[in-house]
Amino acid sequence: DAGVTQSPTHLIKTRGQHVTLRCSPISGHKSVSWYQQVLGQGPQFIFQYYEKEERGRGNFPDRFSARQFPNYSSELNVNALLLGDSALYLCASSLGTFESYNEQFFGPGTRLTVL
Amino acid sequence: SQKIEQNSEALNIQEGKTATLTCNYTNYSPAYLQWYRQDPGRGPVFLLLIRENEKEKRKERLKVTFDTTLKQSLFHITASQPADSATYLCAPDTGRRALTFGSGTRLQVQP
């Protein structure tokens, strides 16, 4: 079975631009979560979506937004990119929400570099 | 504020020994805590989940303990192997609405 897939693998943008990252969950998983991981740190929670609804949001500015589609895939959008947005962006899927004690299955991530 | 502390220094041990990694948290009352393994350039991989009403959980060579009084979880790898070398992340839940990860401890098992 295919695991969580993310695209693109790498991305280079300049300050002020906008970026869209994509994630396809494991078949049968209805929840997708997004994380930002800066070098040397653990993943930092951005959003969780379940059944196309936002179920959790981390401490990130409104420049970050996401959505989930009927096929449970998801997009993360970041507007007005800053140098500090350079990081590995991880998507994770799970059967249910954090309320259900579900393990997270992570994708390989998208490496975003902002110049 | 809420804080998770994992030993930022790498842990170096000899093959065959038991590795013990520590996760301390403050201003949390997690309903559960998860442990993940992360290899360089890859996403984390789930290892174990322990609930607040469980003292200990085992899976093959792995053991996790959870002390809600001390606000601490310990992660043990017995009979460690060089293939166990990786960064290990602890992640307590936050109000069952999010997972908050520690910065991880890098384990290096020497042959």
Side-chain angles (χ1 to χ4, degrees):
Chain A
D1 284 339
V4 176
T5 59
Q6 292 186 244
S7 64
T9 306
H10 295 87
L11 203 51
I12 298 175
K13 292 284 189 178
T14 56
R15 281 178 295 175
Q17 284 189 313
H18 157 270
V19 69
T20 298
L21 310 181
R22 295 178 175 83
C23 170
S24 291
I26 290 172
S27 177
H29 285 190
K30 298 181 178 180
S31 174
V32 169
S33 298
W34 287 95
Y35 297 82
Q36 180 195 67
Q37 187 172 25
V38 174
L39 198 62
Q41 300 294 318
Q44 200 169 357
F45 173 70
I46 309 175
F47 289 110
Q48 183 184 58
Y49 276 78
Y50 178 75
E51 290 281 17
K52 302 184 291 296
E53 289 189 4
E54 183 183 301
R55 298 298 294 269
R57 173 186 282 255
N59 189 23
F60 278 81
D62 292 344
R63 299 185 296 108
F64 289 76
S65 64
R67 56 179 175 168
Q68 186 177 34
F69 299 100
N71 66 353
Y72 302 110
S73 67
S74 177
E75 282 183 355
L76 175 70
N77 293 283
V78 187
N79 292 323
L81 285 168
L82 303 173
L83 295 179
D85 294 332
S86 296
L88 180 67
Y89 287 85
L90 293 161
C91 170
S93 76
S94 58
L95 285 169
T97 67
F98 294 120
E99 295 173 330
S100 307
Y101 298 73
N102 290 139
E103 63 186 271
Q104 303 280 294
F105 293 83
F106 283 84
T110 293
R111 173 71 63 187
L112 172 65
T113 301
V114 182
L115 302 175
Chain B
S1 62
Q2 296 176 327
K3 197 174 178 183
I4 302 169
E5 289 182 350
Q6 292 187 258
N7 194 340
S8 58
E9 292 183 14
L11 179 63
N12 292 291
I13 64 168
Q14 286 297 119
E15 183 176 6
K17 301 292 187 183
T18 296
T20 298
L21 286 68
T22 304
C23 175
N24 295 301
Y25 58 91
T26 54
N27 297 321
Y28 273 102
S29 295
Y32 61 89
L33 189 147
Q34 300 186 14
W35 282 87
Y36 288 78
R37 167 189 173 138
Q38 188 171 27
D39 292 285
R42 310 190 82 145
V45 175
F46 172 80
L47 296 174
L48 282 168
L49 180 153
I50 186 164
R51 300 179 182 223
E52 60 180 337
N53 61 349
E54 297 175 319
K55 295 293 184 188
E56 182 180 297
K57 201 84 168 277
R58 291 175 185 261
K59 179 183 176 183
E60 297 172 352
R61 294 185 295 113
L62 309 180
K63 184 179 85 171
V64 172
T65 63
F66 194 9
D67 189 326
T68 55
T69 301
L70 289 179
K71 294 188 179 296
Q72 181 182 79
S73 176
L74 298 179
F75 178 81
H76 306 270
I77 305 176
T78 58
S80 59
Q81 304 165 1
D84 295 326
S85 298
T87 295
Y88 291 86
L89 302 159
C90 77
D93 84 287
T94 309
R96 295 174 68 186
R97 302 285 290 180
L99 268 186
T100 304
F101 284 82
S103 56
T105 298
R106 190 163 60 89
L107 172 67
Q108 190 69 37
V109 180
Q110 307 291 343

